[in-house]
Amino acid sequence: MRVGVLTGGGDCPGLNAVIRGIVRKGVQEYGYDFVGFRDGWRGPLENATVRLDIPAVRGILPRGGTILGSSRTNPLKAPDGIRRVKDSLAKQEVDALVAIGGEDTLGVAAELCDTYGVPVVGVPKTIDNDLSATDYTFGFDTAVGIATEAIDRLHTTAESHMRVLVVEVMGRHAGWIALHSGLAGGANVILIPEQRFDVEQVCTWVTSRFRASYAPIVVVAEGAMPRDGDAVLKDESLDSFGHVRLSGVGEWLAKQIEKRTGKEARTTVLGHVQRGGTPSAFDRWLATRFGLHAIDAVRDGDFGTMVALRGTDIVRVPITDATSRLKTVDPALYEEVGVFFG
């Protein structure tokens, strides 16, 4: 059997660990051959491949990014995209495909499998941890650790200058990174996409913190929105999956705080640093197990499924279960951490 592997969407720590797990077990235990498709779904579209064998995956466990490259290419919108993908798989003599990605990448995988009969197994990947059907996705733990360390470091600067520091973290539709890192880092305000925020309330919390002779840290997810406004966009352009580019809510909020409270405010946008570099031990562990179980699903012919973490077990679920809805922060959980605001 020959198996194709691709990584789609934004890169995140742990992708290489998945690839390594798939190839090592596939070659050593099942005698499979592998081919890597370059740059997400662009690889099958353009028949762009790389060698993928045991020597190719040696030493990649601690590396961030992906040795296969990635992109946000959507073959469902490309001219004659389905035929081109199927032709590439046929030319490469691929019997099954493992697609590693988030909601968009896996949505394409589900469509190709369910509608066009392409044998696909999915592996969940999203830095935001917002895929339903799995408790955690790899990369999330690393991002939270990086954001938490940044918040820890910013406390001393905030207190030295007695100014407000607004920290913008990733989180388009789900505030898991903001919630986890904000709580772990001792933030005084945490703002997430699931709960529209009142600017005046934020200013009240900020003022309360200054009264206690401490400088406040505000953590805001990039997709958070004010109660009387819309998402702050980097620009109006859309990617091939129809997503706008978010960024700027932190700077906007800092200006509002400064204007309404008279206190100096500064913004730190962590951006891509959250998903770059070495994966954490947990992300290496989870990503490796996902890879091992994904190749097992290929062996069993269990196509149209995705591997997922449930408790400490790796299970298989229909890909459509993961892409039908997002996993967002429960209002009760957000209310739980509200005791630390202000």
Side-chain angles (χ1 to χ4, degrees):
M1 175 176 278
R2 195 164 202 232
V3 181
V5 182
L6 65 81
T7 54
D11 71 300
C12 76
L15 281 167
N16 287 323
V18 180
I19 298 168
R20 174 176 174 269
I22 290 170
V23 173
R24 285 288 297 269
K25 188 169 188 178
V27 172
Q28 293 175 195
E29 296 200 11
Y30 303 139
Y32 293 165
D33 291 325
F34 290 89
V35 59
F37 285 100
R38 288 287 309 171
D39 303 330
W41 287 113
R42 184 181 297 156
L45 267 179
E46 301 177 358
N47 195 28
T49 64
V50 295
R51 179 175 58 90
L52 201 55
D53 53 18
I54 288 182
V57 301
R58 286 199 180 109
I60 68 172
L61 177 64
R63 286 176 55 183
T66 164
I67 61 169
L68 297 178
S70 191
S71 72
R72 297 191 185 277
T73 303
N74 185 352
L76 302 180
K77 291 186 177 180
D80 209 12
I82 301 302
R83 181 195 60 78
R84 291 163 60 190
V85 168
K86 296 182 77 170
D87 284 352
S88 292
L89 296 179
K91 288 177 183 177
Q92 295 297 329
E93 299 181 329
V94 168
D95 301 296
L97 182 65
V98 179
I100 310 165
E103 177 190 9
D104 297 325
T105 300
L106 294 180
V108 171
E111 180 73 10
L112 288 174
C113 186
D114 295 344
T115 304
Y116 301 99
V118 177
V120 183
V121 167
V123 176
K125 180 258 0 158
T126 168
I127 203 84
D128 291 342
N129 196 42
D130 59 359
L131 274 180
S132 59
T134 185
D135 290 349
Y136 286 98
T137 53
F138 62 88
F140 170 71
D141 183 72
T142 303
V144 169
I146 291 170
T148 300
E149 182 180 357
I151 295 166
D152 286 346
R153 291 176 178 275
L154 290 170
H155 272 291
T156 55
T157 292
E159 291 170 6
S160 294
H161 295 274
M162 288 305 289
R163 62 168 60 129
V164 185
L165 282 181
V166 179
V167 185
E168 183 182 308
V169 300
M170 286 183 171
R172 175 179 291 273
H173 300 296
W176 293 109
I177 293 177
L179 191 70
H180 281 238
S181 64
L183 182 62
N188 311 110
V189 181
I190 302 171
L191 306 175
I192 61 176
E194 295 87 340
Q195 301 282 333
R196 284 182 174 261
F197 62 88
D198 181 349
V199 177
E200 283 299 330
Q201 179 61 71
V202 172
C203 291
T204 298
W205 284 326
V206 165
T207 302
S208 173
R209 181 70 173 177
F210 276 116
R211 288 200 192 102
S213 298
Y214 289 99
I217 299 285
V218 178
V219 175
V220 56
E222 62 186 351
M225 292 185 287
R227 185 173 297 169
D228 301 317
D230 298 317
V232 180
L233 308 180
K234 184 182 289 288
D235 57 48
E236 299 293 334
S237 63
L238 304 177
D239 66 19
S240 62
F241 290 95
H243 299 311
V244 295
R245 299 175 63 196
L246 295 175
S247 185
V249 66
E251 187 64 31
W252 177 86
L253 183 59
K255 291 178 180 178
Q256 291 295 316
I257 291 172
E258 196 165 89
K259 175 182 177 181
R260 298 177 187 226
T261 68
K263 299 294 186 180
E264 189 178 7
R266 293 289 185 272
T267 307
T268 297
V269 180
L270 296 184
H272 291 84
V273 71
Q274 293 161 91
R275 69 186 193 197
T278 301
S280 67
F282 177 82
D283 282 338
R284 299 184 202 190
W285 174 87
L286 178 59
T288 298
R289 293 190 70 203
F290 275 167
L292 298 176
H293 283 261
I295 200 62
D296 285 346
V298 170
R299 176 203 58 184
D300 296 341
D302 201 0
F303 301 118
T305 63
M306 179 193 85
V307 294
L309 180 68
R310 296 282 178 83
T312 58
D313 297 327
I314 306 296
V315 300
R316 299 175 195 167
V317 299
I319 296 177
T320 51
D321 283 2
T323 58
S324 59
R325 64 180 179 85
L326 291 175
K327 180 179 67 181
T328 54
V329 175
D330 190 307
L333 180 58
Y334 184 65
E335 184 178 351
E336 183 179 301
V337 303
V339 66
F340 296 106
F341 295 178

